[in-house]
Amino acid sequence: MVPVLGRYAGLLTVGLLGLVVFGPLAVFLPLWSALTLGALASGVASLALTRIATLKARCEKLSGEVDLLSRRLLKVETAAANAAVQPPPETAEAALLAQIEELTVEFGLLSGIVRDLTTVVSTQDAEIADLKARPEIRPENPPAPAPAASPEPAPPRPRVTAAPPAAHRAPPDAPPMAETPPSAPTTPARSIPPRPFPPQPARDPGSEAEIIRAFEGEGLEIHLQPVVTLPQRKVVAYEALARLRIGGTPVPVEPETFLPVLERYGRTTELDRRMLQRAAIVVRHLARRGSETTLTYGLSPLSLFEPGLLCELARTAADDPTLAGGLVLALPQASWRGLDAGQRSLLAALRDRIGFSLDRPDDLRFDAAELAALGIGQVKVPADMLLRSGSGRGGLSDIAVEDTAPALARAGIRLVAMDVADEADVPDLIDLDVPFAQGAAFATPRPVRAEVLSAPPTETPTPPTEPEPERRPFRSVLRRAV
């Protein structure tokens, strides 16, 4: 009763006062008392209506808050149910990143195709304009056209087993080399040209057919040329060079002869794939012999537009840890400068597993910090560009030539002088602080022996277990002591 009375104490007080005041008035002044009671009743009614409206507003507000709370609770329950069904955030994020990477690679591939198509169209336009500008020559007695010889159908592609290397002045851990015939000319080794040749009309279909048959047969060989230190001339690395033996000739031809044909037929990616497979075999052979030398292969620029090749190489490097630090991919300077987002992502996946190198440069403008950010650990420059940089070479560096090697070394990049054909150039390279060199002055390229390439991969030998100590009787020990 106390809480109820405390709550309605004001109303009870007003009622008692009204009874005390209006009771006598109702006896003496009944009319005025009736009017006063009516006014009080209307006031009380208006006050009650006001409180009812206030309570109604509060109830509506409370119902809205309850509705909002119920909706939030429903969202929480729905999110909990979805979280129980969906994979964890780590897996979802990994899947999203994989999709983004795949889309990036596709965009990069499409941009490369468009770029190549633009180059081909511009080349064809230039050739058409050149043909239109030439005057037409009409001979008086034109010779009768000879029937074109149809090339023989290419034989089925057999299993490739190439012959391969022994370097001149090679250390004990060098891979076995095969002896080259004495008639082989000692010409400096040249890498694959820096840029694919534009499409050209075939001049000799018969020779092109021979090149394709040799490439599909057993004509492709891998040759190794050592990279030596200066001035000690110690072999620290090798470069894998592609050679093609056509028609059983004693001397295989260099890439300048057969690479334009392979580019015209779209076979350069197949060339790189086969050469990388053999280079991986040579790297495993060097690792089994305990050698710390590396093997560099110059990749064709067109292979950058084939993401399948780089993805396959990344999987091979992940499955075979012996390739880490042993295989180095070389790309031309123009390719490194023209990388798009898709190609950068593909190369970034190989960065921690396979080394990178820059070769076939157009000038000596090397940004050491940028090259190091791309993961390049080696720069190969022709010796003529270093020694005779002012003769006919417009792309000079912003720094002196003798400061090129120290500037690259500060960024962890080593400089290699290529195509050193003359022994007289070696002292000049030493004066320029060039730490490494490669060329015919040190050793000519040698083919790898066939048994090295055909040897099956051997399993890693398990370390021998220590024999248990032999138990001897105590009397035997006493006899040995006496």
Side-chain angles (χ1 to χ4, degrees), residues 8 84 99 103 175 179 221 236 288 292 300 313 341 347 421 429:
Y8 299 102
Q99 293 178 359
L103 290 176
E179 295 295 334
E221 298 179 0
V236 294
R288 286 196 300 268
E292 296 181 356
S300 173
L313 184 59
L347 294 176
L429 293 174

Side-chain angles (χ1 to χ4, degrees), residues 69-400:
L69 183 61
S70 63
R71 282 184 290 177
R72 290 182 178 178
L73 183 59
L74 182 60
K75 287 183 179 180
V76 171
E77 292 178 353
T78 306
N82 294 336
V85 176
Q86 292 179 354
E90 295 81 4
T91 308
E93 184 178 359
L96 181 60
L97 291 177
Q99 293 178 359
I100 293 175
E101 183 178 0
E102 184 178 358
L103 290 176
T104 305
V105 171
E106 294 294 335
F107 280 120
L109 181 60
L110 291 176
S111 63
I113 293 174
V114 171
R115 191 159 52 236
D116 285 354
L117 183 60
T118 305
T119 304
V120 171
V121 171
S122 61
T123 304
Q124 291 180 352
D125 291 341
E127 292 178 355
I128 293 174
D130 189 13
L131 292 175
K132 289 182 177 179
R134 292 179 182 177
E136 185 178 358
I137 301 176
R138 296 182 178 179
E140 297 180 358
N141 298 321
S150 59
E152 300 178 2
R157 190 176 305 171
R159 179 181 177 184
V160 179
T161 55
H168 183 60
R169 299 191 186 100
D173 57 357
M177 305 284 186
E179 295 295 334
T180 55
S183 60
T186 59
T187 56
R190 288 172 289 178
S191 302
I192 298 177
R195 185 64 188 162
F197 296 99
Q200 299 176 357
R203 297 181 179 179
D204 190 357
S207 63
E208 289 193 358
E210 291 181 359
I211 291 176
I212 295 300
R213 282 196 297 268
F215 177 72
E216 293 179 347
E218 300 181 357
L220 183 62
E221 298 179 0
I222 176 173
H223 288 220
L224 298 188
Q225 187 174 29
V227 177
V228 300
T229 59
L230 294 180
Q232 297 84 4
R233 302 196 179 193
K234 177 184 177 182
V235 177
V236 294
Y238 293 94
E239 181 176 5
L241 303 172
R243 297 291 185 265
L244 189 65
R245 194 177 299 274
I246 303 174
T249 55
V251 180
V253 297
E254 296 186 358
E256 285 80 355
T257 302
F258 63 87
L259 190 60
V261 179
L262 297 182
E263 288 175 350
R264 187 156 45 245
Y265 284 87
R267 308 294 289 273
T268 53
T269 303
E270 183 180 354
L271 169 67
D272 288 341
R273 182 175 283 106
R274 292 169 61 180
M275 287 295 296
L276 285 174
Q277 291 175 356
R278 302 183 184 190
I281 295 175
V282 176
V283 171
R284 296 188 189 99
H285 177 76
L286 293 174
R288 286 196 300 268
R289 300 184 60 180
S291 174
E292 296 181 356
T293 57
T294 59
L295 182 63
T296 304
Y297 173 69
L299 201 65
S300 173
L302 290 177
S303 296
L304 289 176
F305 302 102
E306 295 291 340
L309 175 64
L310 297 179
C311 293
E312 180 182 352
L313 184 59
R315 289 192 297 268
T316 304
D319 297 337
D320 191 356
T322 57
L323 298 181
L327 183 61
V328 179
L329 291 182
L331 287 170
Q333 186 181 36
S335 298
W336 285 112
R337 290 177 175 175
L339 292 177
D340 54 22
Q343 295 167 353
R344 288 177 182 270
S345 62
L346 289 174
L347 294 176
L350 295 171
R351 180 173 179 178
D352 298 332
R353 301 166 183 169
I354 294 178
F356 294 142
S357 175
L358 184 149
D359 64 355
R360 294 158 278 180
D362 299 326
D363 51 52
L364 296 178
R365 300 180 185 275
F366 301 128
D367 189 348
E370 183 180 358
L371 297 180
L374 291 173
I376 299 175
Q378 177 179 272
V379 173
K380 308 184 77 172
V381 181
D384 292 340
M385 185 178 290
L386 293 173
L387 299 177
R388 289 167 280 277
S389 57
S391 59
R393 300 266 185 182
L396 298 180
S397 175
D398 297 333
I399 61 177

Side-chain angles (χ1 to χ4, degrees), residues 1-12:
M1 291 296 294
V2 176
V4 175
L5 292 177
R7 184 176 181 182
Y8 299 102
L11 295 176
L12 293 175

